[in-house]
Amino acid sequence: MGELGQTVIMPGWTNEIKTAFEQRGLAFQKEDESSTPYVYEVLLDADTEGEHNWDLTEDAAGEGPVPGGAGGVPDNVRDGVNGRTQKRSATKSPYRRSIRAAMSSLAHTGYLRLDYQAACSSSSASDDSPASPYVLIQVTRQNWTSHIEIDPERQEVSGNNPQRQDYRLGPDKPDSFSGYFVSRFSEPFVSYGTTTGRNLSESSRSASGENLGAYVQFSSKTSRVEARTGISFVSVEQARRNLDLEIPDGTSFENTVEQAKEAWLEKLGRVTIEGVNSTNQEHNQRTIWYTGLFHALQYPNDFSEPTGSDPDSPRTFYNGYTDSIHTSNDSYYQSWSIWDTYRAEHSLLTIFAPERVNGMMRALLNIFDWSGRLPMWANMVETNIMIATNADVVLANALSRGFRSFNISKAWEAVRKDAYEPPERDTELLYYDREPDTPYEVRAGLTSYLDHGWVDNDGWAESASRTLDYAFNDAAVSKIDFKMHSHYTCNSTRRGPMLTSHLQVRHRSSHSRRKRSSRSPREEGQELRKLMELQYPIHASTERKWFFRE
C-alpha cells in the first residue's frame, strides 16, 4: 500500500558506524532465511563491505521512480534488469562473523532480536581492536524533515517521520501527518549520536532535519540485543503507550512470537487441506495456499490504536481527511486498495473475519462523511489509483451476505452519489492513473456514461475498462437500493425499488425477444424516470439519461 511514516532499524558490527544505504547493507543467503506469519529470521554477514549500489535509492532517483506517487519512469528503471547489481550473486562461504536477526510483531509493536556471533574472534577484519555492536535507526530520507531523540537513561530512541509515498495523488492534504516510534533496547548504550546523511554527531541526544537518523552502540562484549518498538500515527506518547500495552518490559521474544502465532493460526487454522499432490518445497501447494490466505488478511488494516488495557477502551486514530486526531469506540479501517480486492477478498473476509466486516463498512461510510465520497484506493487518504467506484460493490456484498450493523440509508446515499454525480472537472481532465493533484476521481467520465451509456475514449483514460466497471458498479448500486427498500411490499402505495442500470432495467434474452415497442428508447426512458422520480427526486444537474437497446 505504500510507505507511511516508516522507520528503518539496521544492525551493524564494525568500528565505524555505517549510515549510508549503499554502505550498511549486509549480505545473506536465501537458505539462511526463514519466513512465517509470526516470525522472520535471517543470518547476515557482519563483515559485508563496500558501496553496493543495490538498485535505486532516493539519492539516485530524486524521490524514486514516481516522486510523490506521480510522474514518469526513469530510463534506468524502464530498461529493466540490465546493468543492475544482482543482490544474490555472491558465492556461499562461512561467515567469519554474523548477525542472526529475528523479528516478530503485534498490532502496533515490533520485537527485534539480534544475536552477534563470531566464528573465531570478535575483532574486525581491518582493526585489531574489538568492534562494538550497534543499531542504526534512519527516520527520514532526503527532502523530508523530522525530529529524533535519544534517551540513554531509558535506553530509548524516539522520533517521527512525515513522509508519505503518494503525497502528490488525490485531493486530500494531511499536512500534520507523521509516523511516530519509540524503540526501547535491552542493553545500555556505551555511545550514541545522531546522523544526517553520512555525517555523525557523537553524543548528540536530539536532532532535526532531513535524511535524519541516530545510532546507539553497545559494549564489545555484548552478544544479544533486543529492541522493542512501538509505532503510532498519533504521537510519540501514543507509540510509547502502544509499546507498554502490547510488549511491556519483561516480555520475552518467545512470548511475542507465541501471541502472533496464536492470532494467525486462529485464522489460517480454519481450513485443512487434504490430498495435495506431492511436489518440491518451493512449490508446495499447502504453502502456496496458506501464503495467499495470509496475504489476503493483511488489508484493510485497523488504523486505530488503544487508549487502555481494557479491550472496550476507546480507540484513537489520526484522520487524514480531517487532518486531526479522533477518538471513537469503534475501530477505524484504512488501506483500501479496493480495485484489487472487491472481486474476491471482501467475500473471503466474510468467512475468515466476519467480526470485522460491519466495522469495515462503518469505516467506509465515515470516510464518506469526512470527504463527501467513498474511497477508491485509499492509502490513509485518497490516492485516485485505479478506476471506478468499487466500494459500491463492497457495500453490496456485505449487505447481500447479511451484514447489517451499519447505516444502510447512508450507504444508499453514498453509492447513489457515485452513480449520479461526476467528479469535479470531469470534462477537463483525462484522469489517467497516478495523474497528480486531481480532485476525487470516483467515476471519471461519468458525464459521458450518463449521456449515452459508455465512457468516450477521446475524453478519458481507460475508457473501456471504466465502462465495464461502471456497469458492474451500477448493478451493485441496485442491490443496495433493493436491500434498503426491501421492506416495501407489493401492495405498498409506493413503487418498488428503482433499478439503477439500464442493463438490468431492460434485459431481454436472445431466446425470448418480445415485439419491439412502438415507443422510442428515449420515450421509454422518460417513463421510467418519471417512475423513479416518485421515489427519489433527482437534481437536474445529475439526471441520468436512460437509453435501451433491443
Side-chain angles (χ1 to χ4, degrees):
M1 289 298 298
E3 295 179 332
L4 294 173
Q6 68 278 357
T7 299
V8 177
I9 301 179
M10 186 69 196
W13 197 5
T14 55
N15 287 321
E16 178 186 0
I17 306 297
K18 297 180 179 180
T19 65
F21 174 84
E22 296 87 350
Q23 292 178 323
R24 69 186 186 226
L26 300 179
F28 70 97
Q29 300 293 325
K30 290 297 291 183
E31 57 263 34
D32 295 330
E33 185 182 39
S34 173
S35 179
T36 72
Y38 42 88
V39 67
Y40 171 85
E41 293 184 77
V42 65
L43 187 67
L44 305 170
D45 182 0
D47 293 314
T48 306
E49 296 286 348
E51 295 269 343
H52 306 295
N53 190 31
W54 285 348
D55 289 337
L56 290 175
T57 68
E58 291 194 48
D59 286 334
E63 294 177 77
V66 282
V73 182
D75 291 341
N76 48 4
V77 175
R78 184 182 296 107
D79 292 343
V81 76
N82 294 332
R84 297 186 189 173
T85 301
Q86 297 300 300
K87 297 183 181 180
R88 302 186 181 100
S89 59
T91 302
K92 174 65 173 177
S93 61
Y95 301 149
R96 197 178 62 83
R97 299 182 314 144
S98 62
I99 303 173
R100 181 172 294 279
M103 297 186 291
S104 188
S105 65
L106 300 178
H108 309 93
T109 50
Y111 206 136
L112 172 64
R113 170 183 283 178
L114 302 169
D115 287 316
Y116 297 83
Q117 305 167 341
C120 49
S121 72
S122 61
S123 63
S124 68
S126 59
D127 194 335
D128 292 333
S129 62
S132 297
Y134 68 86
V135 170
L136 174 78
I137 299 178
Q138 182 175 352
V139 183
T140 53
R141 300 168 182 166
Q142 67 177 24
N143 303 323
W144 295 90
T145 300
S146 66
H147 183 74
I148 196 165
E149 292 191 4
I150 303 171
D151 188 337
E153 289 74 28
R154 301 174 74 166
Q155 297 173 197
E156 285 185 356
V157 179
S158 60
N160 72 290
N161 180 8
Q163 183 173 5
R164 293 193 302 116
Q165 182 174 341
D166 295 324
Y167 67 91
R168 286 288 306 279
L169 303 185
D172 303 303
K173 304 301 179 186
D175 295 330
S176 67
F177 166 79
S178 207
Y180 302 90
F181 77 95
V182 173
S183 291
R184 190 175 299 160
F185 294 86
S186 61
E187 301 301 315
F189 309 154
V190 297
S191 65
Y192 54 84
T194 58
T195 67
T196 304
R198 300 190 181 211
N199 301 317
L200 277 70
S201 298
E202 295 183 15
S203 302
S204 169
R205 289 191 173 210
S206 65
S208 298
E210 62 180 60
N211 210 352
L212 186 68
Y215 69 91
V216 292
Q217 201 161 23
F218 311 99
S219 166
S220 60
K221 298 180 180 180
T222 300
S223 60
R224 170 174 287 180
V225 174
E226 293 181 332
R228 294 170 292 125
T229 300
I231 60 172
S232 172
F233 291 134
V234 174
S235 65
V236 167
E237 292 73 20
Q238 181 62 41
R240 186 174 286 111
R241 178 183 294 118
N242 293 340
L243 178 58
D244 291 335
L245 287 172
E246 293 185 4
I247 312 180
D249 294 346
T251 303
S252 69
F253 180 79
E254 290 77 10
N255 179 271
T256 301
V257 171
E258 283 303 311
Q259 288 186 63
K261 185 175 183 178
E262 289 178 9
W264 276 110
L265 289 183
E266 192 277 326
K267 301 298 184 187
L268 303 180
R270 296 185 182 188
V271 175
T272 300
I273 303 175
E274 298 178 350
V276 177
N277 294 334
S278 60
T279 183
N280 59 39
Q281 185 175 355
E282 292 184 357
H283 300 88
N284 184 285
Q285 297 299 297
R286 283 192 178 90
T287 300
I288 293 171
W289 196 92
Y290 283 115
T291 301
L293 180 59
F294 167 74
H295 288 155
L297 296 174
Q298 301 288 323
Y299 299 108
N301 55 14
D302 188 347
F303 219 63
S304 60
E305 305 173 30
T307 59
S309 57
D310 187 338
D312 295 326
S313 297
R315 312 280 293 178
T316 186
F317 59 90
Y318 171 75
N319 183 343
Y321 300 95
T322 64
D323 194 27
S324 60
I325 304 301
H326 289 228
T327 300
S328 172
N329 291 323
D330 205 358
S331 290
Y332 170 53
Y333 293 89
Q334 252 299 337
S335 303
W336 295 94
S337 63
I338 298 179
W339 187 91
D340 307 282
T341 61
Y342 79 93
R343 299 170 182 84
E345 181 184 337
H346 287 281
S347 295
L348 188 77
L349 293 178
T350 64
I351 301 172
F352 286 92
E355 71 282 358
R356 294 180 179 265
V357 172
N358 281 312
M360 290 179 180
M361 301 307 106
R362 292 192 292 268
L364 287 175
L365 299 178
N366 284 336
I367 293 171
F368 174 71
D369 282 340
W370 298 324
S371 69
R373 290 290 191 176
L374 291 171
M376 283 181 57
W377 210 97
N379 184 22
M380 196 266 288
V381 290
E382 186 56 62
T383 66
N384 286 342
I385 292 174
M386 308 311 290
I387 61 170
T389 56
N390 294 306
D392 307 341
V393 182
V394 175
L395 287 161
N397 178 67
L399 284 169
S400 297
R401 294 172 185 273
F403 294 91
R404 296 288 189 278
S405 296
F406 56 93
N407 191 328
I408 301 175
S409 296
K410 183 169 291 183
W412 165 243
E413 177 187 354
V415 301
R416 190 178 183 281
K417 185 174 183 178
D418 283 346
Y420 283 96
E421 293 191 21
E424 297 176 23
R425 303 174 63 194
D426 190 30
T427 58
E428 301 174 32
L429 301 173
L430 285 175
Y431 279 108
Y432 62 85
D433 196 35
R434 294 185 175 273
E435 182 175 359
D437 308 315
T438 53
Y440 292 113
E441 179 178 325
V442 286
R443 295 198 197 184
L446 187 60
T447 303
S448 168
Y449 184 79
L450 289 174
D451 185 72
H452 46 259
W454 65 84
V455 179
D456 293 334
N457 187 50
D458 57 356
W460 295 268
E462 303 168 283
S463 59
S465 294
R466 291 184 189 278
T467 300
L468 292 172
D469 276 13
Y470 295 174
F472 190 70
N473 296 160
D474 276 347
V477 171
S478 72
K479 288 285 187 181
I480 295 172
D481 173 45
F482 180 81
K483 293 294 182 181
M484 178 181 171
H485 300 95
S486 60
H487 62 278
Y488 295 146
T489 65
C490 294
N491 296 324
S492 173
T493 56
R494 296 189 66 184
R495 301 283 186 175
M498 83 173 191
L499 299 175
T500 307
S501 172
H502 66 273
L503 295 176
Q504 295 171 302
V505 172
R506 193 68 173 175
H507 173 68
R508 295 179 180 178
S509 62
S510 59
H511 57 80
S512 60
R513 291 189 179 276
R514 293 178 291 179
K515 183 178 180 180
R516 186 181 295 274
S517 172
S518 61
R519 292 175 297 176
S520 69
R522 185 177 296 277
E523 289 173 333
E524 291 191 14
Q526 289 173 344
E527 179 179 344
L528 179 59
R529 287 173 62 203
K530 289 179 182 178
L531 176 65
M532 290 159 43
E533 189 71 15
L534 293 174
Q535 302 176 89
Y536 314 110
I538 303 173
H539 192 275
S541 64
T542 60
E543 289 184 354
R544 179 188 291 275
K545 296 182 179 180
W546 297 84
F547 292 86
F548 308 98
R549 300 289 183 266
E550 292 290 350

